[in-house]
Amino acid sequence: MQLSIFLGATLLGSGAILMFGRSASEFASPVQLTSGDAALAAKVRYPSPRLLDVDGDGTREMVVGDLPGFVRVAKPAGGDDLLAWGELAPLKTDGRELKFNNW
Amino acid sequence: MGSQFVDFDGDGLLDVLTATYEGAVYVARGLEASAETKERGGFADPEHVLDRDGQRIGLQMMWSLEGKGWTDVFKPQCTTAVAFDWDADGDLDLLLGCYNTDNVFLRRNEGKAGAPVFGTENEPVLAGGEPFALAGGVTALRLVDWDADGVTDIVCGSFGAKDRSVLGGVYLFRNEGEAGSPRFAAAKALIAPITDPDGTAPSRGLYADPVDYDQDGDLDLLVGGYAETKSETTDGYKGQAGIWLYLRK
C-alpha cells in the first residue's frame, strides 16, 4: 500500500517522528490526496472534506464543500493507492447542483 | 463551508446542515431513495433554519460576556453550524461557530425530535472555563468522540490570523462532562500551526474531518486547506489548495 512509504520515511533514529518541521505528534507526516496527476481539490476554494457514504451505495465518497457554497463528490479511484480519488463532480439531484447561498 | 451530514428533521434520511459566509444556518433535506437503485435520493434545495419567531438563525444576537444581558452591539458572523443534542433531551440543538470573533454559541431546541422549535438566543459555549476561543477563527466544527470515552468532543480547524501572527491549525476541545451536560476543556492542538510554511502541509484555512480513513480502528484527520510557499505577493506567501491526510500513528 502506498501509504506505508510515507509513514516509514519519517522515522528517526531515536524513534521520534519528524513532521516537516513540527514537533512530534500523534500523527504521521501529512500526505496529499490526488486525483489523476493533480492534487485533489487543487481548484476548490477553501476545500472542506468529509469522508462518508453520501449516496448509500456502500462505499465512502469524498465530499468537499467550498467557500462559494457548492458541494462536490469524488469516488475512490480504485486500486491499492488509498490516496487516489476520481474527479470531483458537483453533487446533483435531478440534474440540479446542490448550492448553498453565500453572500 | 463545512457541511454536517445528519438526520436533522428525524425522518430517517440524511440531510446536509451548514452555514455559509452569508452568516445563517441552512439545511438541505434528504429525499427519498430511488426504488430502482435503492441509493439515496439526493437533497432538496437548501432552506434557512428558522427560530420560533420565524427568524433566520445566525449570530446576530449574542450574550454579553460581562453578564449584561443580550446584546447585538456587534455582529459575529456564523460560518459553521452543527446539530448536537446538547442537553440529551432527544432533540438536536445547534452549535454555531464564528470566524471573525473565534467563538462558538449554543442555540437550544425547545421542541422535540422531528419537530424542532429553536429559541431566539445564542448562549456562549465555554472551553476550559472561558468563552470558547480559537485564535485564527473557527473554520468548521466537527463532533466526534475523539478519545472514545463515550461523550462527544469537538474537533475544529482554524483559518489563521490575517496578520499571520498565528497560522491555521486543528484543535481538540475534549468533553470532560457527560451526556446532557457537556463541559469542554481548553483547546489542545492536534495539528499545531506551522511557523515556516514550505508548501508541504496546509497552513491556512484548515478544515478538518476526523475519520478512520484507513479503517484500522482509530481516528485520522483529513484536512482541507492551503499549503503556502513564499512569494512576491502582498503578505509574502501564496497558497495552493488541497486535501491532506494525517494518519494516526
Side-chain angles (χ1 to χ4, degrees):
Chain A
M1 186 175 73
Q2 185 169 336
L3 285 175
S4 61
I5 297 171
F6 294 98
L7 292 171
T10 59
L11 284 171
L12 303 179
S14 63
I17 302 296
L18 179 68
M19 289 191 65
F20 294 114
R22 292 177 180 77
S23 59
S25 85
E26 58 190 301
F27 299 98
S29 302
V31 289
Q32 196 162 12
L33 307 189
T34 60
S35 178
D37 295 331
L40 181 67
K43 296 182 178 179
V44 177
R45 295 180 64 192
Y46 287 91
S48 174
R50 301 303 305 265
L51 182 63
L52 77 159
D53 179 10
V54 72
D55 58 12
D57 68 351
T59 301
R60 297 186 299 179
E61 290 86 28
M62 185 65 66
V63 183
V64 182
D66 70 8
L67 178 69
F70 289 101
V71 180
R72 297 180 176 85
V73 181
K75 297 274 190 183
D80 293 335
D81 186 356
L82 293 183
L83 301 177
W85 291 85
E87 192 171 346
L88 282 169
L91 183 59
K92 292 184 178 179
T93 300
D94 296 331
R96 293 176 294 105
E97 291 186 21
L98 183 59
K99 168 73 167 69
F100 293 87
N101 190 46
N102 182 7
W103 280 331
Chain B
M1 182 189 71
S3 307
Q4 182 191 24
F5 291 80
V6 59
D7 183 7
F8 181 68
D9 50 17
D11 64 356
L13 300 172
L14 209 57
D15 310 306
V16 186
L17 185 78
T18 191
T20 72
Y21 278 80
E22 180 188 271
V25 182
Y26 280 96
V27 62
R29 300 184 191 276
L31 302 175
E32 291 287 347
S34 160
E36 293 180 358
T37 66
K38 296 184 179 177
E39 292 187 0
R40 295 199 178 104
F43 300 95
D45 289 336
E47 58 188 88
H48 283 115
V49 178
L50 305 178
D51 66 19
R52 66 178 180 224
D53 294 337
Q55 299 299 308
R56 288 179 295 178
I57 292 179
L59 290 174
Q60 288 75 26
M61 290 289 289
M62 70 171 291
W63 180 258
S64 164
L65 298 177
E66 290 74 35
K68 296 177 181 176
W70 302 103
T71 176
D72 61 354
V73 293
F74 78 102
K75 308 278 188 186
Q77 191 173 353
C78 176
T79 49
T80 176
V82 288
F84 174 42
D85 188 0
W86 178 272
D87 44 14
D89 64 351
D91 60 35
L92 292 172
D93 309 291
L94 291 171
L95 292 180
L96 312 175
C98 179
Y99 95 98
N100 56 353
T101 62
D102 311 340
N103 302 130
V104 172
F105 300 86
L106 167 67
R107 182 71 69 100
R108 291 184 189 271
N109 184 350
E110 301 165 350
K112 57 185 179 181
V117 179
F118 290 100
T120 59
E121 298 167 344
N122 296 323
E123 304 173 30
V125 171
L126 303 182
E130 301 289 332
F132 186 114
L134 189 55
V138 174
T139 56
L141 299 167
R142 303 301 193 195
L143 303 175
V144 64
D145 184 3
W146 179 260
D147 49 10
D149 65 352
V151 293
T152 301
D153 309 299
I154 295 174
V155 169
C156 184
S158 64
F159 285 100
K162 291 179 180 176
D163 64 3
R164 303 189 65 87
S165 57
V166 61
L167 298 180
V170 178
Y171 299 87
L172 168 68
F173 294 84
R174 185 172 179 271
N175 186 350
E176 298 177 332
E178 53 192 47
S181 56
R183 181 166 47 85
F184 293 102
K188 171 194 172 188
L190 296 176
I191 299 174
I194 296 173
T195 54
D196 188 18
D198 62 2
T200 61
S203 52
R204 301 284 290 190
L206 274 65
Y207 284 79
D209 180 24
V211 63
D212 185 0
Y213 188 91
D214 55 357
Q215 298 182 292
D216 66 348
D218 58 26
L219 287 170
D220 312 300
L221 285 174
L222 270 177
V223 180
Y226 287 85
E228 297 176 301
T229 51
K230 291 181 178 177
S231 76
E232 300 299 319
T233 57
T234 304
D235 68 354
Y237 289 88
K238 66 177 180 181
Q240 174 60 56
I243 298 171
W244 287 261
L245 170 63
Y246 293 76
L247 277 178
R248 188 89 74 100
K249 292 185 291 201

